[in-house]
């Protein structure tokens, strides 16, 4: 009988400690604006990331040289492109993938940064 009481007391102690570490995450608290938060992180990239800015400039140069490529990217209508324009379109798509990679890496690291903040808030770090 004494061991059952002892187990129950230990279980209540574990619950009490567990409750101390419970906190709402940013996503829990702000799920309605989470996409806006991610967008704001990404919106800062042209100012803060030289590689990101350089890729955007490369894309802009291609669009200036090949206006039909911009049309093909911006609209959902079929476009007749020359061989050079097709090559430019492929390059733009590669550059877009590079931008996406940088964006995803930035969001990942921002999440790591926020995670450390939550661990500090919980008193773990």
């Amino acid at each position: 009988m004494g061991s059952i009481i002892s187990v129950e007391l230990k279980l209540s102690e574990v619950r009490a400690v567990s409750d101390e570490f419970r906190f709402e995450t940013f996503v829990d608290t702000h799920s309605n604006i989470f996409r806006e938060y991610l967008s704001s992180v990404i919106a800062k990239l042209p100012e803060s990331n030289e590689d990101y800015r350089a890729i955007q400039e490369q894309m802009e140069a291609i669009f200036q040289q090949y206006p039909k490529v911009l049309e093909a990217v911006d609209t959902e209508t079929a476009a007749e492109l020359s061989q050079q324009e097709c090559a430019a379109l492929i390059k733009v798509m590669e550059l877009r993938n590079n931008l996406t990679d940088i964006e995803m890496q930035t969001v990942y690291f921002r999440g790591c940064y926020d995670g450390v903040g939550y661990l500090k808030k919980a008193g773990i770090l």
Side-chain angles (χ1 to χ4, degrees):
M1 186 80 160
S3 65
I4 293 175
I5 293 172
S6 170
V7 168
E8 287 179 10
L9 284 173
K10 287 182 181 180
L11 193 55
S12 68
E13 289 174 19
V14 169
R15 284 189 193 120
V17 170
S18 174
D19 287 342
E20 286 181 39
F21 290 110
R22 287 195 184 148
F23 56 90
E24 290 183 295
T25 66
F26 178 86
V27 177
D28 293 334
T29 306
H30 304 289
S31 62
N32 59 329
I33 61 165
F34 184 65
R35 287 179 193 230
E36 287 179 42
Y37 174 72
L38 291 180
S39 293
S40 72
V41 170
I42 292 168
K44 295 174 186 170
L45 280 170
E47 302 164 8
S48 63
N49 188 307
E50 191 175 310
D51 293 335
Y52 192 87
R53 190 172 44 256
I55 292 169
Q56 285 184 318
E57 289 169 1
Q58 279 183 291
M59 289 174 61
E60 186 59 37
I62 292 171
F63 292 147
Q64 286 179 0
Q65 186 175 359
Y66 302 104
K68 281 187 175 181
V69 172
L70 178 60
E71 285 180 40
V73 170
D74 280 349
T75 63
E76 293 184 18
T77 58
E80 191 171 318
L81 301 176
S82 69
Q83 190 172 4
Q84 289 108 351
E85 289 167 331
C86 284
L89 178 60
I90 291 168
K91 181 65 177 173
V92 165
M93 299 317 255
E94 289 173 1
L95 293 170
R96 273 190 165 184
N97 287 340
N98 293 344
L99 289 177
T100 300
D101 289 346
I102 293 171
E103 290 168 358
M104 290 172 55
Q105 184 181 41
T106 301
V107 168
Y108 172 81
F109 285 125
R110 181 63 205 201
C112 292
Y113 177 84
D114 289 346
V116 169
Y118 287 125
L119 293 174
K120 283 183 178 181
K121 179 179 176 183
I124 296 171
L125 291 179

